[in-house]
Amino acid sequence: MSKSSSKVKAGQLWSKNKDELTKQLGELKTELGQLRIQKIVSSGTKLTKIHDIRKSIARVLTVINAKQRAQLRLFYKNKKYIPLDLRAKQTRAIRRRLSKEDASRVLEKTKKRQTHFPQRKFAVKAHLRKAKYPCRFGSKLQTVLSRCRCKLLLLLLHLFLDSKLHELNLGERHHHPPKATMSADPLQALASAGKGKSTRSVLRVIILALIAGAAVASRLFSVIRTCPVLYWFDPWFNFRATKYLVANGFYNFWDWFDDRTWHPLGRVTGGTLYPGLMVTSGVIYHALRALTIPVDIRNICVLLAPAFSGLTAIAAYLLTNEMTPSSSAGLLAALFMGITPGYISRSVAGSYDNEAIAIFLLVFTFFLWIKALKQGSMLWGALCALFYGYMVASWGGYAFITCLLPLHAFVLICMGRYSTRLYVAYTTWYALGTLASMQIPFVGFLPVKTSEHMPALGIFGFLQLLAFLDYIRSAIPSRQFQTFLWLFAGGTFGVGLLGLVIATSAGIIAPWGGRFYSLWDTSYAKIHIPIIASVSEHQPTAWPAFFFDLNMLIWLFPVGVYLCFQQLADEHVFIVVYALFGSYFAGVMVRLMLTLTPVVCVAAAIAVSTLLDTYLNRKSPKPEDSQTVEGAEGKKASKSGLKATSKPVVGVYGLWGKGMVVSALAVYLLLFVLHCTWVTSNAYSSPSVVLASRMPDGSQHIIDDYREAYQWLRQNTREDAKIMSWWDYGYQIGGMADRPTLVDNNTWNNTHIATVGKAMSSSEEVSYPIMRQHEVDYVLVVFGGLLGYSGDDINKFLWMVRIAEGIWPDEISERSFFTPRGEYRVDGEATETMKNSLMYKMSYYNYNNLFPAGQAVDRMRNVRLPDVGPTLSTLEEAFTSENWIIRIYKVKDLDNIGRDHMSAAAFDRGHKKKKVMKKRGPRVLRVD
Amino acid sequence: MAPKQRNTTAAAPPPATSTSTSTPTPSTSSSQPTTAAAAATTAPSKPRLTAGGQPQTLDRIVANVAAHYLDTTPQRTKLLDAFMAFLVAAGALQFLYCVLAGNYPFNAFLSGFSATVGQFVLTASLRIQTTEANKSDFPNVSPERAFADYVVCSLILHFFCVNFIN
């Protein structure tokens, strides 16, 4: 007993055999029995041992059992049947699971439902519904598409080189037939040339189609990533106007008076916009409807820009073909035009802006102009004028054409290249084009009244003189003509100049517009017209932007211009003039990079194709042997020929040199394609209304505050609630929230904008009456402090101040928003004016509550904010979006017992405090 | 050639015309179509006014031009010239009205005036393209093609004018 009283260890038991175990079991059991008796008698002392012994028994039993099972296992090892409890088991859950067949059984009703209403794999989201998470299918599609695109471009390049080689083999004979060959076998040469020509034209068409396809495809990133959503500002207005046009017809659109913008004033929208874009999409819409293809007008708007970019590529091809006989230059130009980021920046899907179609029109008008000039044909001139009219209807940048064509004509005249062709082309274009441009109500009489259009008129008159002189010269001997010319030219010039000066000073011809001055003096706008300078796309271009937007084209561009100088026919002069003009303006304004891009593409294409032609086509200089010359044409054929007459060729004629240059060029082209894809995908394909950001784990996170807020406005405010915001957001509010606004992106009324600026930048006492007068119901501000979003109103605030100061210099002063040390601060050291301004208060109202006390931080400007946030008494917070980007405040009505808002608010606050004080104060019994 | 005339008539001061036109007309020739002669002569009249010094040379120049014109111009072209002279007259009349009586329906004035100017320019182009001497400049344009172009362009021009006239 005493021996077994100690605890049994399982480790010791394993070594014992069955009998010993049974024996020990018996001993333990008896001991347990004795202990139990003792327990009943309650005489024993070691009752606590009962527990140990029970455990010991269990251990012994366990070991016995395990040994038994081990024996049985051995016994059954190779038997056919094993007892159930010895077989391997799965987990309980698995054993109890339904069989596959049972699990897949479905009720009849469910089955029907599934067949009739299958789950949609992906849905095109309505533009106002929130797209928080991009659907999985979309991302898959995206990868597939980007892969396809890469392949497409590679294929293109391949095809291009192919055609190049092809041209070498077959076409070369046709283009510059060496005399020896011609005399040797003219028949054969003709036959092969004919065959080559047709093959090449087929190839060319295919390549062009592919380029257009690539141009369209590369602009679809944003559609695939998020959903078909329109971009930033202007597209929303254009979209709204298009909807109006489609719904109400053309004539109503023409006379459209919009009372939902510029609140008390309204806007004569039909007369103050360029209708080309809306009419184009309206026409497409109705055409598709007529073909019984039901398409939502929104999708047309989103996809219009990519579609037109395909056309632009083709127009670039045509334009370049006029410049050089080599057809590869045209194809290259089309390719460049199709994928250059400088153009993509304004033509991705969803950027439904005037530029979307205007660049196509620009390039095509230039093509028609060159064609008209070369042929001296009235018909081409008229076509040019018609497209010029279309351009005028579409974009304010038409002035670029209006200035460039006269400049070209003028340069030609100065070079002594006046020709009757120039006369026919220019006068036809001017007479018809000016009339066409005057049809647009927004342009109206400008072509005869403003100075921007005067050069065109002047050249028109000048050409008449020249034509007259030309006639006289042919009529009389040259001595007489000399004297005549001097008298005549001097007299007319004097009279003309006098007339112009008088007309300008008398105010018949308007002086140059502000935007025009800002083109010459980049700081002009900053000083005189803050509203123009405040737009970021009117800033001067930064140097890296050129490389970013044009990549390798920017260094090929001068080469192309140089090559134009070498030939210098009329059309090459055009490229040179355009290049100079365009580069200057692209340097002045970021936005005008767009007008430079076509000429860069054309010039670069000329450069590349000349290089390729030089290195692929150059024949060995052995004129004495016609056999060799002929052999050198076709590369494959050349091998034997060259070897037969073998002399090692050196320099550009060697295979090595050719190979090196061509492959280097191919690498550059590839890099260019990669760069373009990268830029397009990363820089130009976020719709800005929906901000895409990356989570720390690399997944995409979509910040959709704008649409959230606009949807809130749409659903929670009255139909005619007036929203006051800075003008940047006017179009969006009009388009997405469908509420009237005070000011919007059509900045036609500077004073009205300044009024809003004043309301934003003054204190509440001043701005409340302003808001009441304009019947403002809600005020919307954009605040990026929480998210670190840079385009917010505090960053734009100085422009509001400046614009307001321009109208009320006595009441608003920019200086008072800067600290004495000249810093623009928003933290505790901000100036009093700043802290009291409505904008500051609205931005930071309640912002402190997000953070632990004393730790409020503005992440955009990286400053710590004061502990006590601003208080608002005339506004109340109505809505703040998820990431605090948009904050909407409701303007309080007048106090119903006639107090002013300050005291009412103070009373509210004070009231609470008093209550607290009362509770804490000593209670006193009231004694009567 | 003729395109100058619009400018001259617009710009030349009225007193000059009386003296200058009187001298050259008898000197040129007796049996010419009047309109064409007027077109040819009014233009050189003005520089003579500004110079004033050498009436003799100018007279000779004018005479030469007129002789050349009469010698080389075919009948059809003269017809065109007559039309152009008419257009110049119409344009000048409108301009005069605009200066004297004000430009109130500015749309109407503009479309009328630009119709004459445009038509004038187009006719001048047609004249240039159909002249034998300029054949080398326009390898692709036959006279028939030129006329077709002319018709199309005129249609476009007048469409715009009518649309603009209000």
Side-chain angles (χ1 to χ4, degrees):
Chain A
M1 251 175 92
S2 58
K3 190 182 77 183
S4 65
S5 67
S6 65
K7 277 187 201 165
V8 175
K9 295 261 168 61
Q12 298 161 353
L13 292 177
W14 288 115
S15 53
K16 295 183 178 173
N17 61 16
K18 194 180 175 184
D19 293 341
E20 285 168 336
L21 285 171
T22 337
K23 194 180 146 210
Q24 194 173 9
L25 185 66
E27 282 169 7
L28 286 168
K29 279 191 172 168
T30 27
E31 197 180 347
L32 182 65
Q34 283 169 355
L35 280 171
R36 285 205 168 129
I37 292 168
Q38 282 181 9
K39 190 182 166 191
I40 293 165
V41 181
S42 72
S43 61
T45 49
K46 294 179 181 172
L47 288 179
T48 50
K49 274 186 73 181
I50 291 179
H51 174 261
D52 291 342
I53 289 176
R54 284 179 63 211
K55 299 298 162 200
S56 302
I57 291 172
R59 277 185 197 112
V60 173
L61 281 175
T62 309
V63 172
I64 292 173
N65 193 18
K67 288 204 159 181
Q68 211 166 17
R69 286 172 72 92
Q71 293 295 325
L72 282 172
R73 282 227 165 79
L74 273 179
F75 177 71
Y76 283 111
K77 194 165 188 182
N78 292 320
K79 296 273 169 21
K80 192 178 176 187
Y81 296 109
I82 303 173
L84 282 178
D85 56 341
L86 286 185
R87 288 181 198 167
K89 302 198 256 190
Q90 288 171 305
T91 60
R92 189 181 148 89
I94 294 175
R95 273 180 275 140
R96 273 157 188 68
R97 206 159 53 182
L98 282 178
S99 69
K100 241 182 197 164
E101 193 185 341
D102 285 345
S104 63
R105 280 175 209 238
V106 178
L107 278 179
E108 199 59 29
K109 189 181 165 195
T110 325
K111 212 184 274 172
K112 272 184 189 161
R113 196 176 59 216
Q114 278 169 350
T115 48
H116 291 129
F117 307 103
Q119 195 189 2
R120 299 272 172 248
K121 283 290 167 23
F122 65 97
V124 178
K125 285 164 190 148
H127 60 285
L128 275 168
R129 223 163 52 204
K130 289 170 59 173
K132 276 267 144 116
Y133 306 106
C135 44
R136 227 175 61 207
F137 196 80
S139 66
K140 218 180 271 175
L141 200 68
Q142 171 197 345
T143 47
V144 168
L145 197 102
S146 62
R147 218 172 285 158
C148 283
R149 191 170 160 275
C150 264
K151 265 186 199 159
L152 194 65
L153 286 173
L154 284 180
L155 183 74
L156 254 173
L157 210 68
H158 189 78
L159 264 178
F160 169 73
L161 287 177
D162 262 9
S163 78
K164 196 70 224 167
L165 284 174
H166 201 81
E167 192 177 318
L168 295 184
N169 292 338
L170 297 169
E172 183 51 35
R173 247 179 255 185
H174 181 67
H175 269 314
H176 315 284
K179 273 169 195 163
T181 334
M182 271 308 256
S183 59
D185 47 359
L187 264 179
Q188 191 195 332
L190 261 180
S192 69
K195 186 185 155 207
K197 217 175 177 186
S198 69
T199 329
R200 268 185 304 148
S201 55
V202 168
L203 258 182
R204 218 175 296 154
V205 169
I206 291 173
I207 293 177
L208 257 185
L210 281 176
I211 287 175
V216 173
S218 64
R219 284 162 169 80
L220 298 181
F221 273 110
S222 64
V223 169
I224 291 157
R225 272 190 203 150
T226 51
C227 51
V229 67
L230 291 167
Y231 270 45
W232 232 182
F233 303 125
D234 291 12
W236 282 104
F237 168 72
N238 296 333
F239 176 50
R240 189 160 152 254
T242 314
K243 272 200 295 193
Y244 187 89
L245 169 68
V246 169
N248 296 318
F250 185 70
Y251 284 103
N252 285 324
F253 176 68
W254 211 244
D255 302 328
W256 183 20
F257 179 80
D258 187 2
D259 57 350
R260 292 179 76 75
T261 51
W262 295 90
H263 165 55
L265 311 169
R267 173 183 171 195
V268 195
T269 314
T272 54
L273 50 59
Y274 291 105
L277 184 71
M278 297 97 197
V279 173
T280 308
S281 34
V283 166
I284 294 177
Y285 176 72
H286 286 301
L288 287 179
R289 288 284 289 258
L291 292 172
T292 65
I293 304 173
V295 175
D296 188 6
I297 185 71
R298 183 171 56 91
N299 292 339
I300 291 179
C301 293
V302 167
L303 296 178
L304 190 76
F308 266 87
S309 69
L311 291 179
T312 314
I314 293 169
Y317 168 78
L318 293 173
L319 179 62
T320 318
N321 262 2
E322 293 299 317
M323 299 296 153
T324 154
S326 155
S327 63
S328 62
L331 291 178
L332 272 173
L335 180 66
F336 290 157
M337 197 68 220
I339 61 174
T340 314
Y343 175 40
I344 285 188
S345 64
R346 286 317 199 86
S347 63
V348 284
S351 88
Y352 179 57
D353 212 343
N354 289 335
E355 287 92 335
I357 62 171
I359 295 302
F360 161 67
L361 294 173
L362 184 83
V363 179
F364 202 68
T365 311
F366 285 152
F367 159 68
L368 290 171
W369 162 248
I370 294 293
K371 196 85 182 165
L373 184 62
K374 269 173 124 177
Q375 299 208 345
S377 141
M378 276 186 273
L379 189 66
W380 286 105
L383 277 180
C384 180
L386 285 182
F387 270 86
Y388 171 72
Y390 190 8
M391 171 83 184
V392 175
S394 318
W395 193 36
Y398 75 89
F400 190 70
I401 302 183
T402 323
C403 292
L404 193 59
L405 296 194
L407 192 66
H408 180 212
F410 185 67
V411 170
L412 284 181
I413 293 166
C414 289
M415 289 168 76
R417 288 181 177 218
Y418 166 77
S419 67
T420 43
R421 284 196 305 268
L422 179 64
Y423 178 84
V424 173
Y426 187 84
T427 50
T428 314
W429 167 74
Y430 183 76
L432 292 182
T434 310
L435 260 179
S437 69
M438 286 194 291
Q439 311 293 315
I440 313 302
F442 190 33
V443 177
F445 301 134
L446 290 184
V448 289
K449 284 199 158 170
T450 56
S451 304
E452 284 96 320
H453 297 80
M454 282 304 125
L457 181 60
I459 296 292
F460 179 70
F462 193 43
L463 272 175
Q464 311 297 335
L465 291 184
L466 277 177
F468 177 64
L469 285 177
D470 205 36
Y471 180 76
I472 296 287
R473 185 167 56 184
S474 67
I476 54 175
S478 59
R479 266 295 296 275
Q480 286 181 356
F481 182 69
Q482 285 274 324
T483 46
F484 177 76
L485 179 67
W486 282 114
L487 301 177
F488 182 75
T492 341
F493 184 72
V495 170
L497 198 67
L498 205 70
L500 189 68
V501 168
I502 289 173
T504 313
S505 58
I508 299 173
I509 299 173
W512 305 93
R515 270 177 214 229
F516 182 81
Y517 276 123
S518 62
L519 282 181
W520 303 109
D521 178 5
T522 44
S523 58
Y524 178 88
K526 209 170 185 176
I527 301 165
H528 298 282
I529 332 165
I531 199 149
I532 290 180
S534 74
V535 181
S536 66
E537 61 186 24
H538 291 162
Q539 306 294 332
T541 319
W543 283 113
F546 279 102
F547 186 74
F548 188 71
D549 276 353
L550 301 169
N551 194 263
M552 73 159 188
L553 303 185
I554 198 66
W555 51 260
L556 284 172
F557 170 49
V559 182
V561 174
Y562 170 74
L563 289 172
C564 283
F565 256 112
Q566 283 200 322
Q567 299 172 330
L568 215 62
D570 289 355
E571 59 268 24
H572 299 116
V573 175
F574 178 74
I575 289 293
V576 173
V577 171
Y578 185 5
L580 289 177
F581 210 59
S583 328
Y584 176 76
F585 287 126
V588 173
M589 261 192 207
V590 177
R591 184 190 199 184
L592 294 180
M593 182 73 93
L594 211 54
T595 52
L596 176 68
T597 309
V599 72
V600 170
C601 291
V602 171
I606 291 175
V608 171
S609 85
T610 313
L611 206 62
L612 282 178
D613 283 348
T614 314
Y615 277 91
L616 287 179
N617 291 4
R618 180 55 55 85
K619 289 169 281 296
S620 301
K622 284 174 193 166
E624 75 279 356
D625 193 351
S626 68
Q627 203 72 37
T628 323
V629 176
E630 196 185 22
E633 287 163 26
K635 260 199 163 176
K636 279 161 198 166
S638 75
K639 272 184 190 167
S640 58
L642 277 178
K643 265 177 195 163
T645 58
S646 73
K647 255 185 198 173
V649 277
V650 286
V652 278
Y653 308 111
L655 208 59
W656 257 106
K658 287 179 179 182
M660 288 282 279
V661 171
V662 171
S663 56
L665 213 57
V667 168
Y668 273 125
L669 287 175
L670 270 179
L671 279 180
F672 176 67
V673 169
L674 288 180
H675 173 85
C676 291
T677 317
W678 180 81
V679 168
T680 313
S681 135
N682 286 313
Y684 293 136
S685 290
S686 59
S688 312
V689 174
V690 184
L691 306 169
S693 69
R694 297 265 168 207
M695 299 293 272
D697 60 351
S699 62
Q700 199 176 33
H701 178 62
I702 287 183
I703 297 164
D704 209 4
D705 281 34
Y706 281 97
R707 295 199 291 177
E708 183 189 349
Y710 295 139
Q711 185 71 350
W712 183 88
L713 276 179
R714 191 183 263 267
Q715 288 175 346
N716 294 291
T717 59
R718 273 182 298 116
E719 185 85 341
D720 59 343
K722 282 91 188 167
I723 317 285
M724 181 172 90
S725 72
W726 190 233
W727 59 265
D728 291 9
Y729 312 105
Y731 278 168
Q732 288 182 349
I733 296 173
M736 289 202 249
D738 193 26
R739 292 290 173 270
T741 51
L742 255 65
V743 290
D744 65 25
N745 309 40
N746 169 263
T747 50
W748 67 276
N749 188 331
N750 191 29
T751 317
H752 210 54
I753 291 179
T755 310
V756 173
K758 186 183 172 190
M760 292 287 194
S761 51
S762 353
S763 61
E764 281 185 82
E765 294 88 348
V766 180
S767 50
Y768 184 71
I770 298 179
M771 292 192 285
R772 291 294 299 184
Q773 280 161 10
H774 290 87
E775 302 177 311
V776 175
D777 294 301
Y778 291 92
V779 187
L780 181 146
V781 289
V782 174
F783 173 64
L786 183 66
L787 214 63
Y789 170 58
S790 62
D792 70 346
D793 275 346
I794 292 282
N795 279 1
K796 290 173 186 169
F797 190 35
L798 281 181
W799 289 113
M800 304 182 202
V801 174
R802 269 173 216 156
I803 290 169
E805 190 184 3
I807 306 286
W808 292 280
D810 306 334
E811 296 171 57
I812 311 278
S813 145
E814 190 185 343
R815 186 68 194 83
S816 58
F817 287 85
F818 288 103
T819 59
R821 279 192 291 166
E823 293 164 316
Y824 176 63
R825 304 187 70 140
V826 294
D827 55 358
E829 295 181 38
T831 60
E832 277 310 304
T833 325
M834 179 77 189
K835 279 184 178 169
N836 283 328
S837 66
L838 195 66
M839 175 54 71
Y840 181 87
K841 283 184 169 181
M842 285 192 295
S843 289
Y844 292 108
Y845 183 67
N846 267 345
Y847 186 57
N848 291 47
N849 299 349
L850 275 185
F851 297 88
Q855 292 185 21
V857 172
D858 183 329
R859 295 201 182 116
M860 176 52 227
R861 285 153 283 270
N862 274 329
V863 288
R864 173 163 297 187
L865 297 169
D867 293 344
V868 184
T871 53
L872 278 171
S873 46
T874 56
L875 303 172
E876 57 190 350
E877 185 175 355
F879 174 78
T880 296
S881 64
E882 186 187 357
N883 298 300
W884 286 59
I885 287 186
I886 300 220
R887 312 197 64 185
I888 299 172
Y889 291 86
K890 186 172 173 34
V891 179
K892 280 186 192 165
D893 208 347
L894 288 175
D895 192 62
N896 51 9
I897 48 172
R899 298 169 298 179
D900 64 295
H901 285 97
M902 299 300 150
S903 54
F907 179 75
D908 283 348
R909 279 194 300 272
H911 196 59
K912 270 181 195 164
K913 266 183 194 164
K914 261 181 212 162
K915 256 186 182 170
V916 173
M917 289 298 284
K918 261 183 193 167
K919 270 181 190 168
R920 278 186 191 164
R923 296 199 172 177
V924 188
L925 271 180
R926 209 163 45 167
V927 185
D928 283 13
Chain B
M1 211 206 59
K4 173 62 250 298
Q5 285 119 26
R6 185 180 54 80
N7 290 14
T8 349
T9 32
T17 39
S18 62
T19 53
S20 56
T21 37
S22 60
T23 29
T25 352
S27 71
T28 44
S29 74
S30 49
S31 66
Q32 55 183 316
T34 49
T35 42
T41 45
T42 39
S45 65
K46 200 207 56 185
R48 189 187 124 166
L49 174 85
T50 45
Q54 313 137 314
Q56 206 51 46
T57 31
L58 267 181
D59 270 354
R60 221 184 313 144
I61 291 174
V62 172
N64 278 342
V65 170
H68 177 80
Y69 179 80
L70 288 176
D71 285 349
T72 56
T73 319
Q75 192 58 39
R76 282 188 194 174
T77 315
K78 278 182 184 158
L79 208 63
L80 282 182
D81 286 342
F83 183 47
M84 280 158 72
F86 163 73
L87 286 172
V88 168
L93 208 66
Q94 293 186 41
F95 195 79
L96 205 69
Y97 177 84
C98 169
V99 169
L100 294 179
N103 60 3
Y104 164 58
F106 197 43
N107 280 74
F109 164 68
L110 265 187
S111 52
F113 190 66
S114 39
T116 49
V117 172
Q119 197 62 57
F120 175 83
V121 167
L122 290 177
T123 319
S125 300
L126 177 66
R127 189 190 190 285
I128 288 176
Q129 288 185 344
T130 48
T131 309
E132 280 299 314
N134 296 329
K135 206 74 190 161
S136 60
D137 272 353
F138 304 98
N140 293 331
V141 184
S142 64
E144 291 77 18
R145 160 89 195 270
F147 189 70
D149 283 3
Y150 175 72
V151 170
V152 171
C153 291
S154 303
L155 282 178
I156 296 173
L157 177 78
H158 288 286
F159 168 75
F160 281 143
C161 285
V162 169
N163 190 31
F164 193 59
I165 208 165
N166 269 358

